[in-house]
């Protein structure tokens, strides 16, 4: 059947300033197909329903064990869906961290209505737990909580599904009957040219509050996939080749969204915004043009970034970024050891890092740093390079070019990653596959035990605090 009435709900990062791109994208699809619709942003509902103290406790939380107050919000969301009575409900989970609360919502919905058609999607359903060979999406489908779920990017499949095509004919749209027939799950076909399939998001019905205070942030998509080949990341397994949008078109979309919402802060969701150097340059140049044309367009942005050689990212490149409104970058350094970064397949050099931080210092661009300890081949010497790195970049604390350590954790071995698929290359043996995260040991580096990784994490953070670095590391409890 071709759908005429739909409902979308998203379970995203519990941070009210992050506007839900998945929900806005669903709204864009509904509008393109002229489908009557309503949407709910679960994070917005939490932020407007809970007290400030209660909400502060759960920011960035997985909500595995929600409080009575949170469950009341879940129940109100169920009420909203049932009162609207859509022909189809589309549910999106941003990551595996949001899976648990999305499941609780679906359980409560199904307890009150067993016939409503539900389709799930988002990276939260793609995740394969260590104790299983199948995704969280299949777990929901097995339990009857969703009728279908999409694995991989659904730019094309969701449109065709809403137009009435059978899920059995759509590659990557999974159901119980299809699984029983094929004996396995399937993923969407790779979208090699995202530019041709892209549907612009709409915030016409997505709730936005306090935009006048400019503390809201819209996510914008500039690419599909990642050019990096990090050994600890699984994105290449799902999307083997990156595909990029035209930089000028991305800039024009940002301006249109500003006119629609009043929001001027944007975050690019690309795995690496500068993965395609020319498109990223074109994006910055076009933004500068738009800001000159409209003085009210006080655009600023954050993105994930990778340091490159000075010959590729020269001083003019950083100057353009600054003029366009780049206020901060998310930088996955992962380790201060060049040798270890090569093992991780992140082969940029310390010289490239030095150039990057010096340019950011000059052009007032902050950097939010991610790092982890305990990669299987990490030695004590490698770990000490982390401490030396903190010493080396302490001079940038005041300018905030090295602004904040947003993540410092212990290495976790995930399925579908390069290292998981090539355990022999790293001399890694899994000692317990039944727990999440799975437990492992490195035969050629046996002193890198869990206890040692905990010690190194603590020592790194203590040293960072002593030097005066800003630290915003999530608590380990239920995170």
């Amino acid at each position: 059947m071709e759908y005429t009435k739909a409902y979308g709900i998203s379970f995203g990062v519990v941070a009210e300033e992050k506007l839900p791109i998945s929900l806005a994208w669903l709204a864009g699809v509904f509008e393109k197909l002229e489908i009557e619709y309503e949407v709910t942003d679960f994070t917005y509902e939490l932020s407007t329903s809970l007290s400030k103290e209660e909400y502060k406790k759960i920011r960035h939380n997985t909500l595995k064990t929600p409080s009575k107050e949170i469950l009341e919000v879940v129940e109100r969301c169920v009420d909203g869906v049932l009162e609207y009575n859509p022909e189809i409900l589309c549910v999106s989970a941003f990551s595996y961290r949001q899976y648990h609360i999305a499941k609780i919502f679906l359980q409560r919905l199904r307890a009150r209505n067993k016939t409503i058609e539900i389709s799930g999607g988002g990276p939260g359903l793609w995740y394969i737990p260590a104790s299983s060979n199948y995704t969280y999406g299949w777990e929901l489908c097995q339990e009857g909580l969703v009728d279908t779920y999409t694995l991989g990017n659904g730019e094309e499949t969701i449109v065709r599904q809403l137009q009435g095509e059978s899920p059995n004919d759509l590659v990557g749209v999974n159901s119980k009957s299809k699984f029983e027939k094929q004996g396995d799950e399937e993923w969407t076909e790779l979208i090699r040219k995202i530019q041709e399939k892209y549907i612009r998001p709409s915030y016409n019905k997505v709730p936005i509050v306090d935009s006048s205070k400019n503390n809201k942030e819209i996510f914008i998509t500039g690419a599909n996939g990642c050019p990096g080949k990090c050994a600890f990341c699984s994105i290449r397994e799902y999307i083997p080749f990156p595909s990029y949008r035209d930089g000028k078109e991305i800039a024009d979309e940002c301006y249109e969204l500003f006119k629609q919402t009043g929001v001027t802060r944007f975050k690019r969701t690309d795995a690496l915004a500068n993965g395609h150097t020319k498109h990223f340059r074109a994006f910055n140049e076009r933004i500068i043009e738009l800001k000159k044309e409209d003085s009210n367009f006080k655009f600023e942005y954050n993105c994930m970034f990778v340091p490159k050689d000075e010959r590729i990212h020269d001083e003019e490149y950083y100057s353009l970024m600054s003029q366009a409104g780049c206020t901060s970058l998310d930088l996955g350094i992962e380790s201060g050891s060049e040798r270890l970064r090569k093992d991780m397949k992140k082969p940029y050099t310390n010289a490239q890092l030095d150039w990057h931080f010096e340019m950011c210092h000059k052009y007032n661009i902050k950097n939010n740093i991610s790092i982890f300890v305990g990669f299987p081949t990490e030695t004590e010497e490698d770990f000490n390079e982390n401490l030396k790195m903190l010493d080396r970049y302490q001079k940038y604390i005041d300018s905030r070019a090295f602004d904040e350590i947003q993540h410092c954790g212990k290495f976790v071995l995930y399925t579908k990653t390069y290292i998981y698929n090539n355990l022999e290359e790293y001399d890694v043996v899994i000692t317990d596959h039944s727990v999440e995260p799975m437990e492992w040991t490195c035969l050629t580096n046996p002193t890198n035990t869990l206890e040692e990784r905990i010690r190194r994490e603590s020592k790194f953070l203590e040293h960072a605090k002593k030097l005066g670095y800003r630290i915003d590391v999530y608590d380990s409890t239920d995170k």
Side-chain angles (χ1 to χ4, degrees):
M1 62 173 288
E2 186 171 353
Y3 298 91
T4 60
K5 189 176 184 182
Y7 200 106
I9 184 168
S10 69
F11 295 87
V13 178
V14 183
E16 74 288 348
E17 72 276 11
K18 309 291 185 184
L19 296 182
I21 182 64
S22 61
L23 194 63
W25 178 75
L26 278 173
V29 172
F30 296 150
E31 291 178 12
K32 180 181 177 68
L33 299 179
E34 298 183 340
I35 295 174
E36 179 187 343
Y37 76 94
E38 288 294 341
V39 293
T40 292
D41 172 11
F42 184 71
T43 297
Y44 171 83
E45 298 301 323
L46 286 176
S47 66
T48 56
S49 300
L50 303 179
S51 67
K52 289 184 178 180
E53 293 74 20
E54 180 74 14
Y55 183 76
K56 186 177 180 180
K57 294 177 185 176
I58 64 169
R59 273 178 60 86
H60 298 290
N61 200 302
T62 61
L63 304 180
K64 285 184 179 179
T65 54
S67 65
K68 176 186 174 184
E69 291 76 14
I70 293 171
L71 291 176
E72 289 174 352
V73 177
V74 171
E75 205 63 40
R76 285 200 297 275
C77 291
V78 172
D79 291 340
V81 173
L82 296 180
E83 288 171 9
Y84 188 68
N85 192 29
E87 296 167 346
I88 186 170
L89 169 67
C90 297
V91 180
S92 175
F94 179 71
S95 82
Y96 71 93
R97 295 169 62 83
Q98 286 76 48
Y99 169 76
H100 303 284
I101 192 65
K103 184 176 181 179
I104 291 171
F105 163 79
L106 290 168
Q107 288 171 331
R108 294 196 166 215
L109 178 64
R110 276 293 191 231
R112 295 172 59 184
N113 187 315
K114 299 187 184 303
T115 60
I116 185 171
E117 184 175 347
I118 304 176
S119 183
L125 271 62
W126 306 355
Y127 184 71
I128 302 174
S131 57
S132 174
N133 293 320
Y134 304 107
T135 65
Y136 275 154
W138 173 238
E139 181 177 300
L140 295 179
C141 194
Q142 267 190 310
E143 296 180 24
L145 299 178
V146 297
D147 299 286
T148 60
Y149 62 99
T150 300
L151 296 180
N153 294 92
E155 283 88 346
E156 184 174 11
T157 56
I158 186 65
V159 172
R160 293 169 60 190
Q161 184 178 358
L162 291 172
Q163 288 176 324
E165 290 192 43
S166 170
N168 291 330
D169 299 329
L170 299 175
V171 177
V173 179
N174 296 268
S175 64
K176 191 175 293 186
S177 61
K178 182 183 279 191
F179 184 93
E180 291 171 351
K181 182 179 180 180
Q182 298 181 175
D184 203 353
E185 299 175 286
E186 64 179 19
W187 292 75
T188 56
E189 295 176 333
L190 177 65
I191 297 176
R192 294 186 177 275
K193 295 183 179 180
I194 187 176
Q195 183 76 21
E196 297 176 0
K197 303 293 183 181
Y198 185 75
I199 295 176
R200 290 193 175 187
S202 169
Y203 288 87
N204 288 324
K205 292 190 176 184
V206 175
I208 299 175
V209 295
D210 296 331
S211 59
S212 61
K213 299 178 183 177
N214 202 29
N215 65 343
K216 288 290 177 179
E217 185 176 64
I218 289 179
F219 288 11
I220 193 83
T221 299
N224 183 34
C226 180
K229 299 180 180 179
C230 303
F232 50 82
C233 180
S234 61
I235 190 170
R236 278 273 179 162
E237 186 78 13
Y238 303 123
I239 310 173
F241 307 102
S243 173
Y244 302 92
R245 293 180 60 207
D246 179 76
K248 290 181 65 176
E249 182 172 305
I250 300 168
D252 288 338
E253 181 183 343
C254 289
Y255 183 67
E256 286 183 18
L257 288 170
F258 156 69
K259 298 294 284 186
Q260 184 183 119
T261 66
V263 175
T264 58
R265 290 178 56 193
F266 286 72
K267 179 178 179 63
R268 290 190 53 155
T269 64
D270 319 28
L272 292 173
N274 63 326
H276 194 295
T277 303
K278 291 183 179 179
H279 281 317
F280 191 52
R281 175 184 285 273
F283 164 78
N284 286 295
E285 290 174 340
R286 177 59 178 156
I287 287 291
I288 293 170
E289 290 177 359
L290 290 166
K291 294 175 83 169
K292 289 179 179 178
E293 294 170 6
D294 186 346
S295 60
N296 293 317
F297 187 40
K298 309 294 185 182
F299 180 83
E300 59 183 66
Y301 74 91
N302 160 275
C303 66
M304 292 200 65
F305 195 85
V306 60
K308 295 189 177 183
D309 192 88
E310 180 180 348
R311 294 169 297 178
I312 300 173
H313 285 356
D314 57 12
E315 183 168 344
E316 183 205 12
Y317 206 87
Y318 284 92
S319 175
L320 283 173
M321 291 165 57
S322 179
Q323 292 176 62
C326 179
T327 56
S328 65
L329 300 169
D330 295 336
L331 200 67
I333 293 179
E334 319 310 358
S335 175
S337 166
E338 274 192 21
R339 186 201 74 81
L340 198 61
R341 287 200 299 270
K342 288 180 181 178
D343 280 2
M344 295 176 179
K345 302 193 181 299
K346 296 194 73 153
Y348 52 79
T349 65
N350 285 343
Q352 290 170 342
L353 278 175
D354 291 345
W355 169 253
H356 172 77
F357 283 117
E358 185 59 28
M359 288 297 97
C360 289
H361 170 72
K362 183 172 183 177
Y363 290 100
N364 197 31
I365 299 173
K366 305 171 188 176
N367 282 270
N368 306 313
I369 307 302
S370 293
I371 195 166
F372 62 81
V373 301
F375 190 77
T377 57
E378 181 184 80
T379 64
E380 186 68 18
E381 183 179 354
D382 290 321
F383 171 70
N384 287 332
E385 288 296 316
N386 292 330
L387 307 183
K388 293 177 183 178
M389 177 187 68
L390 292 177
D391 294 337
R392 188 165 73 251
Y393 296 138
Q394 185 188 24
K395 61 183 179 181
Y396 295 124
I397 290 178
D398 289 341
S399 69
R400 297 177 72 178
F402 196 127
D403 184 44
E404 186 172 80
I405 299 170
Q406 286 197 335
H407 176 76
C408 174
K410 301 169 288 296
F411 170 77
V412 175
L413 179 60
Y414 291 116
T415 58
K416 298 287 186 178
T417 59
Y418 178 86
I419 186 170
Y420 179 83
N421 295 336
N422 297 272
L423 295 173
E424 300 84 1
E425 181 179 333
Y426 293 89
D427 294 308
V428 169
V429 174
I430 298 173
T431 56
D432 192 343
H433 216 308
S434 64
V435 296
E436 186 76 24
M438 68 189 85
E439 296 178 0
W440 55 272
T441 187
C442 180
L443 299 178
T444 53
N445 192 23
T447 59
N448 187 7
T449 62
L450 177 59
E451 291 72 23
E452 176 61 15
R453 296 194 290 276
I454 292 173
R455 183 193 71 82
R456 290 177 183 176
E457 178 186 23
S458 176
K459 185 174 181 179
F460 177 86
L461 290 173
E462 286 176 5
H463 192 64
K465 291 175 183 177
K466 181 180 178 181
L467 294 175
Y469 284 96
R470 298 174 69 234
I471 296 173
D472 181 23
V473 179
Y474 304 157
D475 296 334
S476 59
T477 305
D478 196 30
K479 301 285 182 174

